[in-house]
Amino acid sequence: MTLTSQSDAAPVPTGVPGLDDILAGGYAANRAHLIEGRPGSGKTTLGMQFLLAGAKQGERCLYITLSESKRELLSVASRHGWDLNGIEIFELVPPELSLDPQQQQSLVYSSDLELGETVRMALAEIERVKPSRVVFDSLSEIRLLSQGSLRYRRQVLALKSYFLLNDATVLMLDDLTSEQDDLNLHSISHAVIRLEQVVPAYGSERRRVSVTKMRGTAFRGGYHDLVIERGGLRIFPRLVASDHHTPFDLEAIPSHIDELDTLLGGGLSRGTSTLIVGPSGVGKSTLALGFLWAALERGEPGLMTSFDETTGILMQRAKGVGFDLEPHVEAGRLRIEQIDPANVSPGEFSGRVRDAVEQGGAKVVVIDSLTGYLNAMPEQPFIVLQMHELLTYLNQQGVVTILILAQHGMVGHMVSPVDLTYLSDAVVLLRFFEAEGRIRRALSVVKRRTGAHEDTIREFRIDGQGLRVGPPLEQFRGVLTGVPKFEGRRASLLEERETVNDEGR
C-alpha cells in the first residue's frame, strides 16, 4: 500500500526506535518535516533510517544530497550494516567531492549552477522517480545559493509545494550553519525536530532530540536522550509514569530470613520502593542481594543495575555469601546491567530498566547505587524528578524496587548526597556499632507505608552462609546519631557460626 492510498497526514513509521512513540505514531504522510541540528548530531542517519523503513514496505524512496557524495553515504550505510538497494540517491555535488568517476548516477556541478537550475534538477529527479519518501540533504546549500533570506524562503516553499503535489513525505535536513536563518523555515514546515549534542565536562557526549512543532499531533514534548550505535539512532522517550499501569496484587514478598521479615512486617510489598541507606561497607548491597536471591529462587525474574561494581566482582561477591547468581543468569531469570555513569545518559538507563520489566518480566529491580545514578545526571538538580518518574513507573508495574544510597562518612554525623526518603515506601537504615572491641552492624526499619513494621534495632551479620538478623538489641542507644553504643549483655549478640565444609554444604 502506498502513501497515496492512506488518509492525508496519517502517521508514517519513522524507522527509528522510540521516535514513533514521541511523534504519536510517526511522521505525517504527504507533509514536509524539518530536521535540524549541528554537524554530527545524527541527521543523515535519521534520514537513512526513514528511507530504509519505506524500502522494506516496497515504497519508492529518494535521497537527494548536496553535501555528501554517494560513496560517502554507502560507506556510512555499510558501517551500520544497511543495504541501500531500493533507495535512489541523487547527487548534486562539486566534482572534487566525488571519489569514484565510474559511479552510475547523475552528477551535476552545483558550483556552476544558478539556484533556480539547481532546484529544477532536483524537481526533475523527483518527477522521474515519483517517490513516496524523500530526504533532502541539506538546506544549507540552498541557503548559500539563495544569498538572501527572502529568496531562500521562497525556494524552500516552492520545494514544499511540489512535494505536497506529488504526495511525498519529506525530511528536509538543515545543519544550522547560519544562525540568523535558524527559525526561517519553522512556519512553513509541518513539523520541526531538533537533534542536539551536549559535551559534559567529563565523559562521552550526550545526544538528545526534541520536537518543537508538529501540527495536529499530541506529540511528547521535552528532551529525549538518544544514542547512535551500529544499526542507527535509538531514542529513549522521556518516561511519563502516568502512561503506564498494570494491575497487580499488593502482597508482601518475603526474604526467607524470618527475623528480617518480622522486622519489615512480613516482607517487601509489590509495587513499592525500598531505600537501603547507610555508610560504605555496612552491607547495603548484600542485603539487597538477599531480597533479589529470594525472588530468583521463587522463579521470579530480576534486574540488577550496578554503577559501582563490575559484573565479575558482583558475581564473585554474591557467591562468597552463598548467593550463586550464575545459574539464574544462564537461565535468563537474572539480568545484570553494568552501568558506566560517564557514558550512559539517564534516558538510556531508564530505557534499559523499562526493557527488563516489559520484555524480560522483571519483578525485582535493584539500583546499586543512587550515588552512581547521581553521577550519571548531566544536571544534578533534576535527579529527583527523574527518579520520581522511574519509581512511579516501576510501582505501577507491580515491581519491587530496591534502591541503595551510600552516605558520606563512616561514624558520627552522616550526610546523604540526595534526599529520596520521601519518595520511598520503606526505608531501611544500616549502621555500625562497637561491642567488646569489635565492629558490628545494626539494622532498623524507620519507615514503611504499606503496613506496620517493627521499631526495634537488630544486629545484622554477613558470613559465607548468607545473611543473619539477630534478636532485638534492647540496651542499644545512639544509632540514629551515627555514634551508637551497645550497653547490653554479651549473650544477646550473635555468635560466630561454625564453618561448614563443602560436603556439608
Side-chain angles (χ1 to χ4, degrees), residues 186-376:
H186 286 204
S187 61
I188 64 177
S189 302
H190 182 82
V192 179
I193 300 173
R194 171 167 289 203
L195 303 178
E196 296 183 6
Q197 185 172 335
V198 180
V199 181
Y202 179 81
S204 63
E205 69 279 358
R206 304 286 173 85
R207 290 183 169 89
R208 59 188 187 181
V209 60
S210 62
V211 182
T212 58
K213 170 188 176 182
M214 192 163 186
R215 291 172 179 155
T217 302
F219 61 86
R220 182 168 296 179
Y223 288 109
H224 312 272
D225 292 332
L226 69 88
V227 295
I228 301 179
E229 53 192 8
R230 178 175 171 82
L233 268 67
R234 184 181 178 190
I235 298 177
F236 304 95
R238 182 173 52 83
L239 183 60
V240 179
S242 59
D243 295 341
H244 308 272
H245 183 72
T246 301
F248 61 91
D249 295 328
L250 189 64
E251 58 178 337
I253 305 302
S255 65
H256 298 322
I257 302 175
D258 293 339
E259 295 83 0
L260 181 57
D261 292 336
T262 299
L263 193 62
L264 288 166
L268 302 180
S269 301
R270 294 195 187 276
T272 64
S273 58
T274 300
L275 178 65
I276 301 177
V277 60
S280 177
V282 77
K284 303 181 298 297
S285 300
T286 306
L287 179 60
L289 279 174
F291 286 105
L292 180 61
W293 171 260
L296 295 172
E297 290 292 290
R298 292 192 301 268
E300 297 183 0
L303 169 67
M304 180 77 181
T305 64
S306 177
F307 286 88
D308 308 323
E309 288 182 299
T310 63
T311 302
I313 294 297
L314 173 63
M315 300 277 285
Q316 181 180 357
R317 182 172 60 82
K319 192 172 183 178
V321 293
F323 304 142
D324 189 2
L325 302 178
E326 188 171 351
H328 296 289
V329 173
E330 294 176 352
R333 283 187 297 273
L334 175 60
R335 178 172 169 179
I336 300 177
E337 289 280 356
Q338 181 179 328
I339 308 296
D340 184 355
N343 295 314
V344 177
S345 66
E348 183 178 354
F349 173 68
S350 298
R352 294 187 185 186
V353 173
R354 286 185 60 184
D355 183 69
V357 172
E358 297 173 5
Q359 305 300 326
K363 299 299 181 183
V364 177
V365 172
V366 178
I367 299 177
D368 185 10
S369 64
L370 287 176
T371 308
Y373 184 82
L374 173 65
N375 294 332

Side-chain angles (χ1 to χ4, degrees), residues 29-336:
N30 310 330
R31 295 293 186 271
H33 306 74
L34 177 62
I35 311 297
E36 56 183 17
R38 297 293 180 188
S41 58
K43 301 183 302 299
T44 300
T45 306
L46 182 143
M48 280 293 185
Q49 287 178 264
F50 172 60
L51 297 185
L52 286 168
K56 289 180 181 179
Q57 298 178 9
E59 301 178 21
R60 291 181 177 272
C61 300
L62 174 63
Y63 195 104
I64 302 175
T65 173
L66 288 81
S67 56
E68 291 184 87
S69 68
K70 182 176 181 178
R71 182 171 180 172
E72 290 173 313
L73 292 174
L74 292 176
S75 175
V76 171
S78 66
R79 293 177 184 178
H80 284 291
W82 295 336
D83 183 1
L84 298 186
N85 287 332
I87 298 177
E88 294 278 349
I89 299 178
F90 181 63
E91 186 178 353
L92 274 149
V93 295
E96 61 269 18
L97 294 184
S98 179
L99 304 181
D100 185 3
Q102 304 300 323
Q103 295 182 87
Q104 299 298 318
Q105 86 272 330
S106 300
L107 203 77
V108 182
Y109 301 165
S110 60
S111 59
D112 298 332
L113 298 177
E114 295 293 337
L115 173 63
E117 188 176 354
T118 303
V119 173
R120 281 195 299 272
M121 293 296 295
L123 299 183
E125 185 67 11
I126 295 171
E127 182 65 27
R128 182 187 70 84
V129 178
K130 297 187 182 304
S132 57
R133 298 191 183 205
V134 178
V135 173
F136 196 94
D137 183 10
S138 73
L139 293 177
S140 61
E141 304 296 334
I142 301 296
R143 180 189 293 113
L144 293 175
L145 289 173
S146 299
Q147 298 181 354
S149 59
L150 177 59
R151 192 181 183 200
Y152 171 54
R153 179 184 176 91
R154 292 180 63 184
Q155 289 295 327
V156 175
L157 187 58
L159 281 172
K160 172 197 169 184
S161 300
Y162 190 82
F163 291 141
L164 183 59
L165 290 174
N166 286 270
D167 295 323
T169 305
V170 186
L171 301 186
M172 300 184 297
L173 311 187
D174 186 10
D175 59 13
L176 300 178
T177 54
S178 179
E179 276 295 339
Q180 61 267 26
D181 291 326
D182 192 9
L183 303 177
N184 199 22
L185 303 181
H186 286 204
S187 61
I188 64 177
S189 302
H190 182 82
V192 179
I193 300 173
R194 171 167 289 203
L195 303 178
E196 296 183 6
Q197 185 172 335
V198 180
V199 181
Y202 179 81
S204 63
E205 69 279 358
R206 304 286 173 85
R207 290 183 169 89
R208 59 188 187 181
V209 60
S210 62
V211 182
T212 58
K213 170 188 176 182
M214 192 163 186
R215 291 172 179 155
T217 302
F219 61 86
R220 182 168 296 179
Y223 288 109
H224 312 272
D225 292 332
L226 69 88
V227 295
I228 301 179
E229 53 192 8
R230 178 175 171 82
L233 268 67
R234 184 181 178 190
I235 298 177
F236 304 95
R238 182 173 52 83
L239 183 60
V240 179
S242 59
D243 295 341
H244 308 272
H245 183 72
T246 301
F248 61 91
D249 295 328
L250 189 64
E251 58 178 337
I253 305 302
S255 65
H256 298 322
I257 302 175
D258 293 339
E259 295 83 0
L260 181 57
D261 292 336
T262 299
L263 193 62
L264 288 166
L268 302 180
S269 301
R270 294 195 187 276
T272 64
S273 58
T274 300
L275 178 65
I276 301 177
V277 60
S280 177
V282 77
K284 303 181 298 297
S285 300
T286 306
L287 179 60
L289 279 174
F291 286 105
L292 180 61
W293 171 260
L296 295 172
E297 290 292 290
R298 292 192 301 268
E300 297 183 0
L303 169 67
M304 180 77 181
T305 64
S306 177
F307 286 88
D308 308 323
E309 288 182 299
T310 63
T311 302
I313 294 297
L314 173 63
M315 300 277 285
Q316 181 180 357
R317 182 172 60 82
K319 192 172 183 178
V321 293
F323 304 142
D324 189 2
L325 302 178
E326 188 171 351
H328 296 289
V329 173
E330 294 176 352
R333 283 187 297 273
L334 175 60
R335 178 172 169 179
I336 300 177

